[in-house]
Amino acid sequence: MDRLFLRKTSLVDYPSKVAAVLFFAGCNLRCPWCQNRELVLPDLLVGRTDLLSIDEVECYLVKRRSVLGGVVLSGGEPTLRADLGRIVKRLKALGFPVKLDTNGMNPGLLEGLFSQEETRPDYIALDLKLPPKRYGELSVRGLSEGSVDTQGEAGEALKESAALIRSSGIAHEFRSLALPEAYLKPEEICAMAAMVDDAPWYFRVFRAGNCLNPLWNTLEAPDPKAAAALARKACEADKRGIGA
Ligand code: SF4
């Protein structure tokens, strides 16, 4: 699916900037709490008339250049697009700072993007969903019958992406979801802390509603105060060098 959703204006997706957001269809993970069902399962987009080509998006961006301070590439998972570098290059050539939101499953593509000035994003947000050793539970490969991610490839890809981002010199942030404690234990959040550096690490609280796995719609959201305490604990663990 080469076509894109466009959110014309956002005040919250790019720090300190008014930005347009491009949503890429398709994802190589299947987080059960995901609220982007249509982006993750592109067959659901068949027949939609509000999708745009990159040329159409570019026309819009040029017209709105005076009010937009940047462009966010989000998803789904943007790094599934083999031509992502070309898209970043086009947007930067138009004068837009580019932010990339990624799940970190494609470190090879990230390395390629980072290697040239014209394809380097100006800001990156990396999602940390679970400790690396549990990523097999989320990967498409891990979920396919007879194709279990026994080698922990998804977790290794995440660690590699986190390391690349930390050493890239590109402004970045980490993002996590505070999940019900029965699913993600406080000590596991401490294990995730090993992948962050001094950049901001933001926690949002899980909410039921339109989860990819309908069973998750029956789960209660964690108490926001408890989630904030977890985030603090994770950051303290990070400073003490705890984690796997
Ligand atoms: S990485 Fe997970 S939450 Fe993000 S779009 Fe894919 S399935 Fe949804």
Side-chain angles (χ1 to χ4, degrees), residues 27-31 33-36 39-40 75-77 103 127 129 212:
C27 189
N28 40 11
L29 295 183
R30 293 291 183 274
C31 310
W33 55 82
C34 177
Q35 307 271 336
N36 293 328
L39 288 169
V40 171
E77 175 51 38
N103 64 19
D127 287 346
K129 298 167 188 301
L212 198 56

Side-chain angles (χ1 to χ4, degrees), residues 19-180:
V21 187
L22 310 190
F23 294 95
F24 293 73
C27 189
N28 40 11
L29 295 183
R30 293 291 183 274
C31 310
W33 55 82
C34 177
Q35 307 271 336
N36 293 328
R37 170 185 301 273
E38 288 191 326
L39 288 169
V40 171
L41 307 171
D43 285 354
L44 298 178
L45 293 177
V46 173
R48 291 281 297 246
T49 56
D50 52 348
L51 298 169
L52 301 174
S53 69
I54 188 66
D55 291 335
E56 290 167 323
V57 166
E58 200 174 295
C59 274
Y60 169 79
L61 295 175
V62 168
K63 280 189 213 144
R64 302 275 291 170
R65 204 189 321 234
S66 60
V67 289
L68 291 172
V71 179
V72 179
L73 308 180
S74 191
E77 175 51 38
T79 65
L80 287 178
R81 282 277 292 246
D83 62 346
L84 190 65
R86 192 175 60 83
I87 292 173
V88 174
K89 197 169 170 178
R90 283 174 71 167
L91 296 172
K92 290 184 67 144
L94 291 173
F96 291 108
V98 173
K99 171 176 177 261
L100 175 65
D101 295 345
T102 181
N103 64 19
M105 290 299 101
N106 196 345
L109 188 134
L110 291 180
E111 193 169 20
L113 289 184
F114 297 175
S115 67
Q116 295 179 50
E117 194 50 44
E118 62 267 33
T119 58
R120 270 167 79 83
D122 300 281
Y123 194 99
I124 306 207
L126 175 66
D127 287 346
L128 304 176
K129 298 167 188 301
L130 294 173
K133 64 183 178 192
R134 287 188 60 191
Y135 260 65
E137 298 170 30
L138 306 178
S139 77
V140 173
R141 186 162 175 223
L143 294 171
S144 312
E145 206 176 326
S147 180
V148 177
D149 181 16
T150 50
Q151 304 302 313
E153 288 168 16
E156 289 306 311
L158 178 73
K159 287 197 276 187
E160 202 179 321
S161 292
L164 275 169
I165 290 166
R166 287 195 307 267
S167 63
S168 66
I170 299 172
H172 56 276
E173 68 184 44
F174 302 94
R175 307 186 303 192
S176 296
L177 207 53
L179 296 165

